[in-house]
Amino acid sequence: MDRKMNRRDFVVGGAMAGVAATLPGSLQALELAPRGPAVIVRSAVKPLVISAANGMRSRDAAGKSAVEKAYEMIVGGSDVLDALIAGVNIIELDPKDTSVGYGGLPNADGVVQLDSSCMHGPLKRAGGVAAIEGVKTPSQVARAVMNETDNHLLVGAGAQDFARRLGFEILPDLNTPESRRLWLEWKRRTDSEHYPDPKTRATVGMQVGLQMVREGLIEAEHYYGTINCDGINARGDICGVTTTSGLAFKIPGRTGDSPILGAGLYVDNDIGAAGSTGRGEANLYNLASFLIVENMRRGMTPKDAGLDALRRIKANTIEKRLLNSRGNPNFYLNFYALNKRGEYAGLSMYPARFAVCDERGSRLEDTVPLLTGSATD
Ligand code: ASP
């Protein structure tokens, strides 16, 4: 029996069937779980799914968004991580989302390389893949790394080979006509063959990419752009997943924060979950998802925990090339955090939106920004 049980603990299972009809929504959801012998759970919370804003954009054939799909599966009794991955698969498979999975913007060589990680709170396990090519749904491969190996992270050709052996479809190219068109435009403007020195090449590549965002050729949230999706069920089981094509036109092999535990994602089933989208390098230098979970462990709300992490990132951003005219970070970085009680927040360097789905339905909410204005002010 769990030593941490307290007065809010209660017994669910077969004995609950008769009283379920009189219980509030969150407790009724427990009844949807498969019946079995009576089990003791720590406390009941209202099931909840939060994600980056694109969790409300792509739709599956039934018209469901990622957060709706995940929420529906969670209240239907599915494993929380399976539900979240089914949700983000909708975006990974959407050719119109140029920041995640199939159709994600490729690297500087025109090759789509994807990163993902997932973390299962109750099982205390995690898996990840980085720079994997040819698989539309890297989140599923990340889960397979978690389930089928003793390792956390597989990268590049090894990750693809692992996926192939498990029967994943390997495509020769994950570009869509649109992602290839944008890459060709970027390539034309950078003419990167003329810049053999990697530093110049990277600087020019970034300048051209951001100019394409300013011209409206690429949506800002798809230049960087990722989905992190976190959820909790009525038993208090917490999981998270992050999946991305990473920074547009990145140096081949570049991996951001998404597949790195503590950066793009962190889950502690006793405390909560946090994940990120935006400039991965700024997050990696501060391992902010881990910091947010640790802040919540020390009693901070998700909101205060996330703002504290953003403050640290701002303080550690001292290079001139990363500062705008006001001396503030010139990049976007968002965090999504929830705690064991089902409290949640979206936090960001600059004002943004994030997706939520709970018993009130799905919606976009405003994040709590650390700074006003925009990154480019
Ligand atoms: N964080 C991702 C990365 O740096 C990209 C993003 O979220 O926009 O690869």
Side-chain angles (χ1 to χ4, degrees), residues 115 223-226 244 246-247 254 256-258 276-281:
D115 300 335
Y223 186 66
Y224 282 99
T226 293
T244 189
L247 171 65
R254 178 267 187 190
D257 53 341
S258 304
S276 76
T277 61
R279 186 181 146 78
E281 284 72 9

Side-chain angles (χ1 to χ4, degrees), residues 135-331:
V135 183
K136 285 181 172 177
T137 52
S139 63
Q140 293 183 0
V141 188
R143 178 176 53 192
V145 173
M146 178 185 89
N147 285 334
E148 311 294 335
T149 78
D150 185 36
N151 310 119
H152 167 59
L153 187 60
L154 300 183
V155 307
Q160 189 193 66
D161 198 40
F162 171 77
R164 182 184 293 107
R165 285 162 196 266
L166 287 179
F168 281 87
E169 184 186 16
I170 310 294
L171 296 175
D173 186 7
L174 290 181
N175 275 290
T176 56
E178 177 64 0
S179 65
R180 182 164 294 283
R181 185 183 72 77
L182 290 167
W183 173 70
L184 284 170
E185 178 61 18
W186 177 85
K187 185 89 172 146
R188 186 183 67 75
R189 293 184 186 203
T190 53
D191 195 11
S192 52
E193 301 307 327
H194 292 171
Y195 297 103
D197 143 41
K199 192 170 175 191
T200 311
R201 205 174 136 164
T203 306
V204 171
M206 180 70 89
Q207 282 165 355
V208 168
L210 293 175
Q211 180 59 28
M212 289 173 70
V213 172
R214 280 192 289 275
E215 290 175 26
L217 290 170
I218 303 172
E219 284 183 59
E221 58 198 23
H222 286 180
Y223 186 66
Y224 282 99
T226 293
I227 182 160
N228 162 251
C229 189
D230 309 293
I232 184 167
N233 67 10
R235 296 171 202 274
D237 294 340
I238 304 170
C239 297
V241 60
T242 302
T243 178
T244 189
S245 55
L247 171 65
F249 318 129
K250 58 196 174 187
I251 297 174
R254 178 267 187 190
T255 285
D257 53 341
S258 304
I260 306 299
L261 288 186
L265 176 69
Y266 200 71
V267 177
D268 185 319
N269 206 48
D270 291 332
I271 307 298
S276 76
T277 61
R279 186 181 146 78
E281 284 72 9
N283 184 15
L284 281 163
Y285 290 166
N286 296 278
L287 287 182
S289 290
F290 182 72
L291 176 62
I292 292 170
V293 172
E294 291 307 296
N295 280 343
M296 293 194 290
R297 190 190 306 279
R298 290 198 300 273
M300 285 190 198
T301 62
K303 174 184 153 200
D304 290 343
L307 286 175
D308 178 68
L310 283 160
R311 255 180 239 112
R312 168 118 30 125
I313 290 164
K314 177 176 177 297
N316 284 338
T317 303
I318 56 170
E319 286 181 75
K320 203 163 181 304
R321 70 186 176 92
L322 295 174
L323 299 173
N324 63 20
S325 61
R326 294 184 297 164
N328 289 327
N330 63 9
F331 51 81

Side-chain angles (χ1 to χ4, degrees), residues 111-138:
V111 178
V112 179
Q113 292 186 323
L114 305 174
D115 300 335
S116 180
S117 64
C118 63
M119 201 159 184
H120 197 289
L123 293 180
K124 300 196 181 297
R125 292 191 64 156
V129 288
I132 186 171
E133 298 174 13
V135 183
K136 285 181 172 177
T137 52

